[in-house]
Amino acid sequence: MVLGEQAEDAIVADVANINGKEGEVRAMGVEDDPEQHDGKFGMKSLLWHGGSVWDAWFSCASNQVAQVLLTLPYSFSQLGMLSGVLLQVFYGLMGSWTAYLISVLYVEYRARKEKEGVSFNNHVIQWFEVLDGLLGPYWKAAGLAFNCTFLLFGSVIQLIACASNIYYINDRLDKRTWTYIFGACCTTSVFIPSFHNYRVWSFLGLGMTTYTAWYLTVAAAVHGQVDGVTHSGPNKLVLYFTGATNILYTFGGHAVTVEIMHAMWKPRKFKYIYLVATLYVFTLTLPSAAAMYWAFGDQLLNHSNAFSLLPRTGWRDAAVILMLIHQFITFGFACTPLYFVWEKVVGMHGTRSVCLRALARFPVVVPIWFLAIIFPFFGPINSAVGALLVSFTVYIIPALAHMLTYRSASARLNAAEKPPSFLPSWTGMFVVNAFVVAWVLVVGFGLGGWASVTNFVRQIDTFGLFAKCYQCPPKAHAPAAAGSAAPRH
């Protein structure tokens, strides 16, 4: 059965072989492209079965710079130009560091388990399993709770972004109705078996965000500064830390790092992929956010979606459509780890039938759909998720887990991955990790949590839950004909 073979190929990163040194290397995933083993090459391998370093790079870069690209100008209006630029660079580098830590812990976990004879045939390793294997069940519970909740709300944000964007092309339907429609469309992601199968989507997704970023940059420059433009930020602590936490969220997109690594043919090569992806993302986020803030200034404080301030043209409509497609892709990225978790809960993770697995996955989409309708606050929800979930999921927990995993001399001596060449000391790694934990706990979770939750509650007070059309401009009514009655409101 073809679908069954695709599902099996997608799930199996490699077959463990622990007989001797060669087997140990193979067990770590250090092997060639599966298509090379039978000497065949076809459209399936080109478009469907990805696992190379380039596939991982496209996945990381594409997933990192999704709809948040449209909210960064809003963050700049809260932070001011200087803080906006500096915090992007700072959190980008910090996010790359913790992504590196996650990759090291994955390699350590897999090396230990496969030395014990454990095979991961037909099983996708996930972050909570790494924490369980290295640090025990309490860490597993923490990783599972934070990671799943973050991915859940990350998927919610994609649906909200879809509705927000399409409204700028077609406002005949309100944003809540568009959320219903795109929620139905995004359920089709249940048919994509694993991260192996995002090869063509990751490539296209990054191209779409690249176009959108440079459209924002050029359109803002061509538009020029609006009359009486002001750049007063930062002027309120609540807004400042809300904006800072949105940037923390921007570079915290590596909650799917373990799943992306497991889909690679050579997972050990992942170590610096996220950093290189982040450097490319800087070329998209910094110019577009800076240009939009330069052009529109404080107007962005009331426009969390950058599209809302630009005049409608064919170029803007193209950017909106491309971002809609990319948000569908990112929805799948965020949901796929949730699908894996749910499959394991209901005992369907090992099945070879794509259709059966899709049917089992469907209940995961329903609460995402519902939450997107309850909290349609495009922009503020990013900051709240960043402060309360991303801060722990992809910053604090990886740094603490790395320190505890290698706290003993024997663990450091037998580590599967030694400290990097640019920081060859275990003590130096401990200091950096301690700084990450302290900074994110105080600034990201503490101050950022206070600010983002305060702002989020204000949105609820202003627009209410189940808001029909969040931040929609009032529609102009056509003037009544002479002698006719005025329209009723």
Side-chain angles (χ1 to χ4, degrees), residues 93-107 254 257 261 268 270-275 394 398 402 417-423 426 429 433:
L93 295 177
M94 184 182 289
S96 299
W97 173 255
T98 54
Y100 168 77
L101 298 180
I102 292 172
S103 71
V104 168
L105 293 172
Y106 168 87
V107 170
H254 44 288
T257 297
M261 284 188 70
R268 284 184 183 270
F270 182 87
K271 287 184 292 185
Y272 304 117
I273 286 176
Y274 196 88
L275 174 61
V394 296
H402 189 274
E417 286 285 340
K418 302 301 181 183
S421 57
F422 62 85
L423 190 64
W426 286 102
M429 294 192 73
N433 289 339

Side-chain angles (χ1 to χ4, degrees), residues 412-476:
R412 295 192 294 270
L413 181 63
N414 299 310
E417 286 285 340
K418 302 301 181 183
S421 57
F422 62 85
L423 190 64
S425 166
W426 286 102
T427 301
M429 294 192 73
F430 182 90
V431 170
V432 173
N433 289 339
F435 171 78
V436 169
V437 171
W439 178 276
V440 177
L441 190 62
V442 174
V443 178
F445 176 72
L447 296 172
W450 161 73
S452 59
V453 171
T454 299
N455 189 40
F456 193 79
V457 170
R458 286 177 181 172
Q459 306 304 312
I460 296 175
D461 291 340
T462 303
F463 297 95
L465 300 177
F466 298 97
K468 191 173 184 179
C469 211
Y470 176 69
Q471 286 189 343
C472 293
K475 293 183 179 180

Side-chain angles (χ1 to χ4, degrees), residues 44 50 75 90 95 98 118 143 150 197 222 231 236 240 254 260 278 329 372-373 382 388 410 418 425 430 455 463:
K44 172 186 170 183
S75 296
F90 176 69
T98 54
V118 177
F150 166 47
N197 314 116
V222 170
H231 300 86
K236 292 182 180 180
Y240 186 86
H254 44 288
I260 292 174
T278 298
I329 298 168
I373 295 166
N382 292 18
L388 303 180
S410 60
K418 302 301 181 183
S425 166
F430 182 90
N455 189 40
F463 297 95

Side-chain angles (χ1 to χ4, degrees), residues 64 68 71-72 75 79 84 87-92 94-96 98 150 240-254 274 382-396 436 439-449 452:
Q64 187 177 148
V68 77
T71 67
L72 286 174
S75 296
L79 293 165
L87 284 174
Q88 275 205 44
V89 175
F90 176 69
Y91 281 128
M94 184 182 289
S96 299
T98 54
F150 166 47
Y240 186 86
F241 287 108
T242 299
T245 310
N246 187 45
I247 296 180
L248 178 82
Y249 170 85
T250 302
F251 296 99
H254 44 288
Y274 196 88
N382 292 18
S383 298
V385 170
L388 303 180
L389 299 172
V390 174
S391 58
F392 283 94
T393 301
V394 296
Y395 292 100
I396 294 173
V436 169
W439 178 276
V440 177
L441 190 62
V442 174
V443 178
F445 176 72
L447 296 172
S452 59

Side-chain angles (χ1 to χ4, degrees), residues 217-367:
T217 304
V218 174
V222 170
H223 183 281
Q225 291 186 313
V226 296
D227 293 337
V229 65
T230 56
H231 300 86
S232 60
N235 60 3
K236 292 182 180 180
L237 285 177
V238 168
L239 294 180
Y240 186 86
F241 287 108
T242 299
T245 310
N246 187 45
I247 296 180
L248 178 82
Y249 170 85
T250 302
F251 296 99
H254 44 288
V256 296
T257 297
V258 170
E259 289 83 359
I260 292 174
M261 284 188 70
H262 193 81
M264 293 178 68
W265 301 317
K266 301 178 181 180
R268 284 184 183 270
K269 290 191 173 183
F270 182 87
K271 287 184 292 185
Y272 304 117
I273 286 176
Y274 196 88
L275 174 61
V276 178
T278 298
L279 296 178
Y280 179 79
V281 166
F282 284 154
T283 70
L284 307 181
T285 58
L286 289 170
S288 59
M292 286 294 296
Y293 182 53
W294 169 81
F296 297 101
D298 291 347
Q299 285 189 19
L300 286 160
L301 288 170
N302 298 313
H303 295 82
S304 53
N305 189 325
F307 284 141
S308 64
L309 288 173
L310 293 169
R312 183 171 181 180
T313 63
W315 297 103
R316 194 193 77 164
D317 286 356
V320 171
I321 292 169
L322 291 177
M323 283 303 292
L324 286 172
I325 299 171
H326 185 258
Q327 281 150 5
F328 162 76
I329 298 168
T330 309
F331 181 92
F333 264 103
C335 266
T336 298
L338 295 176
Y339 295 152
F340 292 156
V341 172
W342 183 248
E343 287 170 2
K344 292 170 184 177
V345 170
V346 299
M348 295 291 290
H349 188 58
T351 185
R352 297 184 178 185
S353 170
V354 170
C355 292
L356 285 177
R357 290 175 67 203
L359 187 64
R361 291 172 168 190
F362 183 75
V364 175
V365 182
V366 176

Side-chain angles (χ1 to χ4, degrees), residues 33-41:
D33 179 340
E35 270 67 37
Q36 293 178 2
H37 291 298
D38 55 16
K40 297 179 182 179
F41 179 83

